[in-house]
Amino acid sequence: MTALRRLQTCRLAWCALFVALPLLTVSGQDMAADPFAPTATLYTPAPEEVRAQAFAWLTEQEATPEILSAAERIWDPRHLEPTGAALLDRLAETVALVDPQARELVTLCSMPRTTTLLPAGEWLHDDSRPAFVRDNLRLLYGRWLSQESLYDEALRQIGELSPEQVVDPATLLFHQAVAYHRLVEQEPGMQALTRLLDDVGDAPERYKTVATLMREDLAAVEVDSLDHIARRMDDIRRRLELGRAGQKVLDVEDGVIESLDKLIEELEKQQQQQQQQQQSSSGGAPSSTPMQDSRIAGAAGKGDVTKRDIGSGDGWGALPPKEREEALQQIGKDFPPHYRDVIEQYFRKLATEQADGAPLETP
């Protein structure tokens, strides 16, 4: 942290103290609880620092006077907001002045996604590039991927970055948390959310509000619960809509099926326990052996049955044409169309066998 930054921090601290003292005196709040509050350790660097690094990199790249003039316009303090997002965008635009790949990336990230095919981003992991440039371009790309619901791809760019490596710590932690939250990865998601809420001292209010909701929501997820299963099924839907149907989708689907099997097994066990409790309370006990075939089961009914006309012995199984057509129509209503073809073939076989005097076979 530069001397200017430390001076700005001290001034803010003194101003906050003088504002808070009257409020504490009036309300009578206990100041002893303040030391236990989380202490912010991450802040957006000063625009002057980022600008100096950007121009130092341009000098290393032997930028022409025209390029340096364009960079001066990008970093015009009259139009530069001192926010992390603004610094990230200005830095990327500066790099794009001399780097064709960075220029293509900046153009891509400035518009909505129009295709499921993404450009190869291996060059963003090339160690031959300065870390200052490489890491911040990865954040720019990862932010865009997250906004486009490409969470796996976003984490490949920003999942391993730390807030100290980039000019916008709040955006990095926020989009890491968003990706982990949507992929239902609780542990890394909670870590990113905790750092965003506790460690970043100047995170935008919208980030903090959404992060608080995400942390409460993610903490309530129970593994293999219906909620957990539903979230992963929604993730499968998202992947398929994006044209992602590879091994990753199959792995998620297998995990969902396994969780469903566990849930069904638990429900069956609960049902069995309830049945046993009901039988115990009614004084009855289930039989441990099945009824023997040689025994006649006791029955309270009279044994009367309704007689049905199933045809005579010589024409068993044959239906009159009218009744046969009615049966086929009913089959067409209740079953898929190919069942009608099967039944029609069976009736034709019956008619042929009857004409030839062959014995009838049941289907």
Side-chain angles (χ1 to χ4, degrees), residues 224-261:
D224 291 334
S225 64
L226 277 176
D227 178 45
H228 188 217
I229 294 172
R231 290 169 187 258
R232 287 181 291 165
M233 292 178 69
D234 183 65
D235 182 48
I236 294 172
R237 176 197 57 76
R238 176 190 65 83
R239 293 173 186 275
L240 294 177
E241 288 179 352
L242 292 170
R244 306 296 193 262
Q247 186 60 43
K248 182 64 176 180
V249 175
L250 296 177
D251 293 340
V252 177
E253 290 176 345
D254 291 341
V256 168
I257 294 174
E258 183 179 352
S259 296
L260 285 172
D261 289 340

Side-chain angles (χ1 to χ4, degrees), residues 261-276:
D261 289 340
K262 291 180 181 178
L263 187 60
I264 293 172
E265 185 178 354
E266 291 178 359
L267 292 174
E268 289 176 345
K269 290 181 179 178
Q270 293 177 4
Q271 186 177 11
Q272 292 176 357
Q273 292 175 355
Q274 292 176 356
Q275 291 176 350
Q276 292 175 356

Side-chain angles (χ1 to χ4, degrees), residues 1-7 46 49:
M1 183 181 293
T2 64
L4 177 60
R5 184 59 181 168
R6 286 196 296 270
L7 179 59
E49 295 180 19

Side-chain angles (χ1 to χ4, degrees), residues 96 98-107 120 123-124 126 129 137:
V98 296
D99 190 328
Q101 289 179 309
R103 189 178 308 121
E104 293 179 2
L105 182 65
V106 170
T107 302
W123 62 275
L124 290 169
D126 186 0
R129 294 174 181 267
L137 288 179

Side-chain angles (χ1 to χ4, degrees), residues 140-178:
L140 180 80
Y141 191 27
R143 181 184 66 179
W144 180 80
L145 291 168
S146 174
Q147 292 169 343
E148 295 294 329
S149 300
L150 296 164
Y151 304 116
D152 291 286
E153 293 83 351
L155 288 177
R156 279 199 286 270
Q157 298 298 332
I158 64 175
E160 297 179 355
L161 290 179
S162 65
E164 295 80 6
Q165 295 175 261
V166 296
V167 300
D168 191 2
T171 291
L172 172 65
L173 291 171
F174 179 78
H175 284 285
Q176 284 179 342
V178 168

